[in-house]
Amino acid sequence: MIKPTLPYILLKFLLRFPLHNHIVILLFLVQIKVTFSATAPNFTACEPVNCGHGPDISYPFYITGKQKPFCGYPGFDLTCGKNGFPILDLFNTQHIIQQIFYNNNSLRVSNPVFSTPNTSQCILPTQNLTVGKYRFRIAPNQRNLFVFYGCNLTLLPEEMKEHKIGCSVHSNLSVVALYAEDVTNVRVAEENCRGGWVNATVEDEKRGNVREALEEGFVMSWNASNCSTCLNSGGRCGFDTRPAIYAFRCFCRDGVHVAQCNLPPPPSPPGPQQPG
């Protein structure tokens, strides 16, 4: 037996009505299709994207120019760097985002001064690492170190040479990195390195080559409205920054919700079994 197709069924349906009613019925059917197939614009706008390399970006972050500000939490805007990785600006110092761990609200970043030196392999001056305490904070198990510029290795103890990470871009002198707990060598560097110093952070477990540790960066945690409930309901997280609202929102296929999308009701428990 041949199964009737949808056009055949529709034709038989239309033939039941006078000809002048066909257009009205067709328009009604089209409207039903649009109603059930349309997706809310906020949901579509907040689809995760990337910069070409690196992690996909979604709430609480958003990429300026690629995603709408309402797709992220206020102050979590990113840009795309020339190398195709997302860039986070921390107090006027750009950091490359290497990884984002959405499951535990943390990310790994690195200062491009250390991770992508210029063609001469010399290191540009940078600023002290400043994170703040509201949006981001240094994650546990990180380690502090000092980066000294303008170091003349001939004036430093022999063991200091292994701490050289490059040359100063404005001189022929060296750049030396020392862990904060290496108090003796830190004092020697303070007395003999004439180019100043900045503080930096690396992961505590990276106890090998200091240069490699700086290239791999460090881990931070972030503070933002929790997104898991919305995600688990099939939505995409965002934030309404209008002064009258200024609150987290869950963008769903059917529109905007406060915390989560409308989930289907749980199935009813089976009724009592009829005796056989």
Side-chain angles (χ1 to χ4, degrees), residues 43-91:
F43 181 88
T44 304
C46 295
E47 181 179 6
V49 298
N50 60 55
C51 290
H53 297 290
D56 286 343
I57 303 303
S58 59
Y59 181 92
F61 303 99
Y62 68 94
I63 301 175
T64 301
K66 282 195 169 190
Q67 293 167 302
K68 298 294 185 181
F70 58 69
C71 295
Y73 195 79
F76 281 67
D77 51 303
L78 308 177
T79 56
C80 289
K82 294 180 180 179
N83 59 357
F85 280 84
I87 299 295
L88 172 66
D89 194 306
L90 290 174
F91 291 89

Short mmCIF file of all heavy atoms in Angstrom, two decimals, residues 43-91:
data_model
loop_
_atom_site.label_atom_id
_atom_site.label_comp_id
_atom_site.label_asym_id
_atom_site.label_seq_id
_atom_site.Cartn_x
_atom_site.Cartn_y
_atom_site.Cartn_z
N PHE A 43 18.29 34.11 21.69
CA PHE A 43 18.85 32.76 21.71
C PHE A 43 19.81 32.58 20.55
O PHE A 43 20.93 32.08 20.71
CB PHE A 43 17.73 31.72 21.65
CG PHE A 43 18.21 30.29 21.69
CD1 PHE A 43 18.39 29.64 22.90
CD2 PHE A 43 18.47 29.60 20.51
CE1 PHE A 43 18.85 28.33 22.93
CE2 PHE A 43 18.91 28.29 20.53
CZ PHE A 43 19.10 27.66 21.75
N THR A 44 19.40 33.00 19.35
CA THR A 44 20.25 32.88 18.17
C THR A 44 21.50 33.74 18.29
O THR A 44 22.61 33.31 17.94
CB THR A 44 19.46 33.28 16.91
OG1 THR A 44 18.28 32.48 16.83
CG2 THR A 44 20.29 33.12 15.66
N ALA A 45 21.35 34.95 18.80
CA ALA A 45 22.47 35.89 18.89
C ALA A 45 23.56 35.39 19.83
O ALA A 45 24.74 35.72 19.65
CB ALA A 45 21.98 37.26 19.36
N CYS A 46 23.20 34.60 20.83
CA CYS A 46 24.16 34.18 21.86
C CYS A 46 24.74 32.80 21.62
O CYS A 46 25.21 32.14 22.55
CB CYS A 46 23.51 34.25 23.24
SG CYS A 46 23.07 35.93 23.73
N GLU A 47 24.75 32.37 20.37
CA GLU A 47 25.41 31.12 20.04
C GLU A 47 26.91 31.27 20.29
O GLU A 47 27.51 32.29 19.96
CB GLU A 47 25.17 30.77 18.57
CG GLU A 47 25.81 29.46 18.14
CD GLU A 47 25.51 29.14 16.68
OE1 GLU A 47 24.90 29.98 16.00
OE2 GLU A 47 25.90 28.04 16.24
N PRO A 48 27.58 30.27 20.90
CA PRO A 48 29.02 30.37 21.16
C PRO A 48 29.81 30.57 19.87
O PRO A 48 29.49 29.98 18.83
CB PRO A 48 29.35 29.01 21.81
CG PRO A 48 28.06 28.56 22.41
CD PRO A 48 26.99 29.03 21.47
N VAL A 49 30.84 31.42 19.92
CA VAL A 49 31.72 31.66 18.78
C VAL A 49 33.16 31.65 19.29
O VAL A 49 33.42 31.61 20.49
CB VAL A 49 31.41 33.01 18.10
CG1 VAL A 49 29.99 33.04 17.55
CG2 VAL A 49 31.61 34.17 19.07
N ASN A 50 34.12 31.70 18.36
CA ASN A 50 35.52 31.80 18.75
C ASN A 50 36.24 32.78 17.86
O ASN A 50 35.67 33.31 16.90
CB ASN A 50 36.20 30.41 18.75
CG ASN A 50 36.17 29.75 17.39
OD1 ASN A 50 36.62 30.31 16.40
ND2 ASN A 50 35.63 28.53 17.34
N CYS A 51 37.51 32.99 18.14
CA CYS A 51 38.32 33.96 17.39
C CYS A 51 39.12 33.31 16.28
O CYS A 51 39.97 33.95 15.67
CB CYS A 51 39.25 34.69 18.35
SG CYS A 51 38.44 35.84 19.48
N GLY A 52 38.88 32.03 16.03
CA GLY A 52 39.67 31.29 15.05
C GLY A 52 40.54 30.25 15.72
O GLY A 52 40.73 29.15 15.21
N HIS A 53 41.08 30.60 16.87
CA HIS A 53 41.86 29.68 17.70
C HIS A 53 41.37 29.83 19.14
O HIS A 53 40.68 30.79 19.48
CB HIS A 53 43.36 29.98 17.63
CG HIS A 53 43.95 29.81 16.26
ND1 HIS A 53 44.11 28.58 15.67
CD2 HIS A 53 44.40 30.72 15.37
CE1 HIS A 53 44.65 28.74 14.46
NE2 HIS A 53 44.84 30.04 14.26
N GLY A 54 41.76 28.89 19.96
CA GLY A 54 41.39 29.00 21.37
C GLY A 54 39.97 28.53 21.63
O GLY A 54 39.29 27.99 20.75
N PRO A 55 39.49 28.75 22.85
CA PRO A 55 38.19 28.20 23.27
C PRO A 55 37.01 28.92 22.64
O PRO A 55 37.10 30.07 22.22
CB PRO A 55 38.22 28.42 24.78
CG PRO A 55 39.08 29.63 24.97
CD PRO A 55 40.15 29.52 23.93
N ASP A 56 35.86 28.21 22.59
CA ASP A 56 34.60 28.85 22.22
C ASP A 56 34.18 29.80 23.34
O ASP A 56 34.35 29.50 24.52
CB ASP A 56 33.52 27.81 21.98
CG ASP A 56 33.71 27.07 20.67
OD1 ASP A 56 34.47 27.57 19.81
OD2 ASP A 56 33.11 25.98 20.50
N ILE A 57 33.60 30.92 22.95
CA ILE A 57 33.25 31.96 23.92
C ILE A 57 31.74 32.01 24.12
O ILE A 57 30.98 32.14 23.17
CB ILE A 57 33.77 33.33 23.45
CG1 ILE A 57 35.29 33.29 23.21
CG2 ILE A 57 33.41 34.41 24.45
CD1 ILE A 57 36.09 32.86 24.42
N SER A 58 31.33 31.90 25.35
CA SER A 58 29.93 32.07 25.73
C SER A 58 29.89 32.68 27.12
O SER A 58 30.93 32.99 27.71
CB SER A 58 29.19 30.72 25.68
OG SER A 58 29.79 29.78 26.57
N TYR A 59 28.67 32.87 27.64
CA TYR A 59 28.49 33.50 28.95
C TYR A 59 29.42 32.88 29.99
O TYR A 59 29.60 31.67 30.02
CB TYR A 59 27.04 33.30 29.40
CG TYR A 59 26.71 33.93 30.74
CD1 TYR A 59 26.22 35.22 30.81
CD2 TYR A 59 26.92 33.23 31.92
CE1 TYR A 59 25.92 35.80 32.04
CE2 TYR A 59 26.63 33.81 33.14
CZ TYR A 59 26.13 35.09 33.20
OH TYR A 59 25.85 35.65 34.40
N PRO A 60 30.07 33.70 30.86
CA PRO A 60 29.83 35.13 31.07
C PRO A 60 30.59 36.06 30.12
O PRO A 60 30.51 37.26 30.25
CB PRO A 60 30.31 35.34 32.51
CG PRO A 60 31.45 34.39 32.64
CD PRO A 60 31.03 33.16 31.85
N PHE A 61 31.34 35.49 29.17
CA PHE A 61 32.13 36.30 28.26
C PHE A 61 31.36 36.57 26.97
O PHE A 61 30.43 35.84 26.61
CB PHE A 61 33.44 35.58 27.92
CG PHE A 61 34.27 35.23 29.13
CD1 PHE A 61 34.24 33.94 29.64
CD2 PHE A 61 35.05 36.18 29.76
CE1 PHE A 61 34.99 33.60 30.76
CE2 PHE A 61 35.82 35.85 30.87
CZ PHE A 61 35.78 34.56 31.37
N TYR A 62 31.76 37.61 26.27
CA TYR A 62 31.26 37.86 24.93
C TYR A 62 32.35 38.61 24.16
O TYR A 62 33.13 39.38 24.74
CB TYR A 62 29.96 38.66 24.95
CG TYR A 62 30.07 40.09 25.43
CD1 TYR A 62 30.24 41.14 24.52
CD2 TYR A 62 30.03 40.41 26.78
CE1 TYR A 62 30.35 42.45 24.95
CE2 TYR A 62 30.14 41.71 27.22
CZ TYR A 62 30.30 42.73 26.31
OH TYR A 62 30.42 44.03 26.75
N ILE A 63 32.42 38.37 22.86
CA ILE A 63 33.43 38.99 22.01
C ILE A 63 32.85 40.25 21.38
O ILE A 63 31.86 40.19 20.64
CB ILE A 63 33.91 38.03 20.91
CG1 ILE A 63 34.49 36.75 21.53
CG2 ILE A 63 34.95 38.70 20.03
CD1 ILE A 63 34.86 35.70 20.51
N THR A 64 33.44 41.39 21.68
CA THR A 64 32.99 42.65 21.11
C THR A 64 33.03 42.60 19.58
O THR A 64 34.05 42.24 19.00
CB THR A 64 33.87 43.81 21.61
OG1 THR A 64 33.82 43.86 23.04
CG2 THR A 64 33.40 45.14 21.06
N GLY A 65 31.92 42.93 18.95
CA GLY A 65 31.85 42.92 17.50
C GLY A 65 31.37 41.61 16.92
O GLY A 65 30.94 41.56 15.76
N LYS A 66 31.44 40.54 17.69
CA LYS A 66 30.97 39.23 17.22
C LYS A 66 29.73 38.77 17.96
O LYS A 66 28.95 37.98 17.43
CB LYS A 66 32.07 38.17 17.38
CG LYS A 66 33.15 38.21 16.32
CD LYS A 66 33.96 36.92 16.35
CE LYS A 66 34.87 36.82 15.14
NZ LYS A 66 35.49 35.48 15.03
N GLN A 67 29.58 39.21 19.18
CA GLN A 67 28.43 38.84 19.99
C GLN A 67 27.84 40.09 20.63
O GLN A 67 28.53 41.09 20.83
CB GLN A 67 28.84 37.84 21.09
CG GLN A 67 29.27 36.48 20.56
CD GLN A 67 29.95 35.65 21.63
OE1 GLN A 67 30.95 36.06 22.21
NE2 GLN A 67 29.40 34.47 21.90
N LYS A 68 26.56 40.03 20.95
CA LYS A 68 25.90 41.16 21.59
C LYS A 68 26.31 41.24 23.06
O LYS A 68 26.53 40.21 23.71
CB LYS A 68 24.39 41.00 21.49
CG LYS A 68 23.85 40.99 20.06
CD LYS A 68 24.06 42.33 19.39
CE LYS A 68 23.42 42.34 18.00
NZ LYS A 68 23.63 43.64 17.32
N PRO A 69 26.39 42.46 23.61
CA PRO A 69 26.74 42.60 25.03
C PRO A 69 25.81 41.84 25.97
O PRO A 69 26.24 41.38 27.03
CB PRO A 69 26.67 44.11 25.26
CG PRO A 69 26.95 44.71 23.93
CD PRO A 69 26.32 43.77 22.94
N PHE A 70 24.53 41.67 25.57
CA PHE A 70 23.61 40.96 26.47
C PHE A 70 23.91 39.46 26.55
O PHE A 70 23.31 38.76 27.35
CB PHE A 70 22.15 41.21 26.07
CG PHE A 70 21.78 40.80 24.67
CD1 PHE A 70 21.72 39.47 24.29
CD2 PHE A 70 21.44 41.76 23.73
CE1 PHE A 70 21.36 39.09 22.99
CE2 PHE A 70 21.06 41.41 22.44
CZ PHE A 70 21.03 40.06 22.07
N CYS A 71 24.83 38.97 25.72
CA CYS A 71 25.21 37.55 25.78
C CYS A 71 26.19 37.26 26.91
O CYS A 71 26.49 36.09 27.19
CB CYS A 71 25.83 37.11 24.46
SG CYS A 71 24.68 37.16 23.06
N GLY A 72 26.74 38.30 27.54
CA GLY A 72 27.71 38.09 28.60
C GLY A 72 27.37 38.89 29.85
O GLY A 72 26.40 39.66 29.88
N TYR A 73 28.17 38.73 30.84
CA TYR A 73 28.01 39.45 32.10
C TYR A 73 28.72 40.80 31.98
O TYR A 73 29.76 40.89 31.31
CB TYR A 73 28.62 38.62 33.24
CG TYR A 73 28.23 39.05 34.62
CD1 TYR A 73 27.00 38.69 35.16
CD2 TYR A 73 29.09 39.82 35.41
CE1 TYR A 73 26.63 39.08 36.45
CE2 TYR A 73 28.74 40.22 36.69
CZ TYR A 73 27.50 39.84 37.20
OH TYR A 73 27.13 40.23 38.46
N PRO A 74 28.20 41.86 32.60
CA PRO A 74 28.84 43.18 32.48
C PRO A 74 30.31 43.14 32.89
O PRO A 74 30.67 42.62 33.93
CB PRO A 74 28.02 44.04 33.45
CG PRO A 74 26.67 43.39 33.50
CD PRO A 74 26.94 41.91 33.38
N GLY A 75 31.16 43.69 32.02
CA GLY A 75 32.59 43.75 32.30
C GLY A 75 33.37 42.54 31.83
O GLY A 75 34.59 42.49 32.01
N PHE A 76 32.71 41.58 31.18
CA PHE A 76 33.40 40.37 30.71
C PHE A 76 33.58 40.40 29.20
O PHE A 76 33.56 39.36 28.55
CB PHE A 76 32.61 39.13 31.13
CG PHE A 76 32.80 38.73 32.56
CD1 PHE A 76 32.35 39.53 33.60
CD2 PHE A 76 33.46 37.55 32.89
CE1 PHE A 76 32.52 39.16 34.93
CE2 PHE A 76 33.65 37.17 34.21
CZ PHE A 76 33.18 37.98 35.23
N ASP A 77 33.76 41.58 28.64
CA ASP A 77 33.96 41.71 27.21
C ASP A 77 35.37 41.31 26.80
O ASP A 77 36.35 41.58 27.52
CB ASP A 77 33.67 43.14 26.76
CG ASP A 77 34.43 44.17 27.60
OD1 ASP A 77 34.26 44.17 28.83
OD2 ASP A 77 35.21 44.95 27.01
N LEU A 78 35.49 40.67 25.64
CA LEU A 78 36.76 40.22 25.09
C LEU A 78 36.94 40.80 23.69
O LEU A 78 36.00 41.30 23.09
CB LEU A 78 36.81 38.68 25.00
CG LEU A 78 36.46 37.88 26.26
CD1 LEU A 78 36.48 36.38 25.93
CD2 LEU A 78 37.43 38.19 27.39
N THR A 79 38.16 40.73 23.19
CA THR A 79 38.45 41.05 21.80
C THR A 79 39.21 39.88 21.21
O THR A 79 39.67 38.98 21.93
CB THR A 79 39.28 42.34 21.67
OG1 THR A 79 40.49 42.20 22.44
CG2 THR A 79 38.51 43.56 22.18
N CYS A 80 39.36 39.88 19.90
CA CYS A 80 40.15 38.86 19.22
C CYS A 80 41.53 39.42 18.88
O CYS A 80 41.63 40.50 18.28
CB CYS A 80 39.45 38.38 17.95
SG CYS A 80 37.98 37.38 18.25
N GLY A 81 42.58 38.70 19.28
CA GLY A 81 43.94 39.15 19.00
C GLY A 81 44.37 38.80 17.58
O GLY A 81 43.71 38.04 16.87
N LYS A 82 45.49 39.35 17.17
CA LYS A 82 46.01 39.10 15.83
C LYS A 82 46.37 37.64 15.62
O LYS A 82 46.40 37.15 14.49
CB LYS A 82 47.24 39.99 15.57
CG LYS A 82 46.93 41.48 15.54
CD LYS A 82 48.17 42.30 15.29
CE LYS A 82 47.86 43.80 15.25
NZ LYS A 82 49.08 44.61 15.03
N ASN A 83 46.66 36.93 16.72
CA ASN A 83 47.01 35.52 16.62
C ASN A 83 45.79 34.61 16.61
O ASN A 83 45.91 33.38 16.60
CB ASN A 83 47.95 35.12 17.76
CG ASN A 83 47.33 35.35 19.13
OD1 ASN A 83 46.21 35.86 19.24
ND2 ASN A 83 48.05 34.98 20.17
N GLY A 84 44.59 35.20 16.63
CA GLY A 84 43.38 34.41 16.58
C GLY A 84 42.91 33.87 17.91
O GLY A 84 41.99 33.05 17.96
N PHE A 85 43.49 34.34 19.01
CA PHE A 85 43.07 33.93 20.34
C PHE A 85 42.29 35.07 21.00
O PHE A 85 42.55 36.24 20.74
CB PHE A 85 44.28 33.56 21.21
CG PHE A 85 44.82 32.19 20.97
CD1 PHE A 85 45.71 31.95 19.94
CD2 PHE A 85 44.43 31.12 21.77
CE1 PHE A 85 46.21 30.68 19.71
CE2 PHE A 85 44.92 29.85 21.56
CZ PHE A 85 45.82 29.62 20.52
N PRO A 86 41.34 34.73 21.88
CA PRO A 86 40.61 35.78 22.60
C PRO A 86 41.51 36.51 23.59
O PRO A 86 42.42 35.90 24.19
CB PRO A 86 39.49 35.01 23.31
CG PRO A 86 39.98 33.61 23.41
CD PRO A 86 40.85 33.39 22.21
N ILE A 87 41.26 37.80 23.76
CA ILE A 87 42.08 38.65 24.61
C ILE A 87 41.22 39.23 25.73
O ILE A 87 40.14 39.77 25.49
CB ILE A 87 42.71 39.81 23.80
CG1 ILE A 87 43.61 39.25 22.69
CG2 ILE A 87 43.49 40.74 24.72
CD1 ILE A 87 44.83 38.51 23.17
N LEU A 88 41.72 39.11 26.96
CA LEU A 88 41.09 39.70 28.13
C LEU A 88 41.95 40.84 28.62
O LEU A 88 43.16 40.68 28.82
CB LEU A 88 40.93 38.65 29.24
CG LEU A 88 40.44 39.15 30.60
CD1 LEU A 88 39.01 39.67 30.52
CD2 LEU A 88 40.56 38.04 31.65
N ASP A 89 41.36 42.02 28.81
CA ASP A 89 42.09 43.19 29.30
C ASP A 89 41.94 43.26 30.82
O ASP A 89 40.85 43.44 31.34
CB ASP A 89 41.53 44.46 28.66
CG ASP A 89 42.45 45.66 28.86
OD1 ASP A 89 42.78 45.94 30.04
OD2 ASP A 89 42.82 46.31 27.88
N LEU A 90 43.07 43.12 31.52
CA LEU A 90 43.09 43.23 32.98
C LEU A 90 43.83 44.51 33.35
O LEU A 90 45.04 44.59 33.28
CB LEU A 90 43.81 42.02 33.60
CG LEU A 90 43.09 40.67 33.52
CD1 LEU A 90 44.00 39.57 34.05
CD2 LEU A 90 41.80 40.70 34.32
N PHE A 91 43.07 45.53 33.71
CA PHE A 91 43.65 46.80 34.14
C PHE A 91 44.68 47.30 33.13
O PHE A 91 45.83 47.57 33.46
CB PHE A 91 44.25 46.67 35.53
CG PHE A 91 43.23 46.48 36.61
CD1 PHE A 91 42.79 45.21 36.96
CD2 PHE A 91 42.68 47.57 37.28
CE1 PHE A 91 41.84 45.03 37.94
CE2 PHE A 91 41.72 47.40 38.26
CZ PHE A 91 41.30 46.13 38.60
#
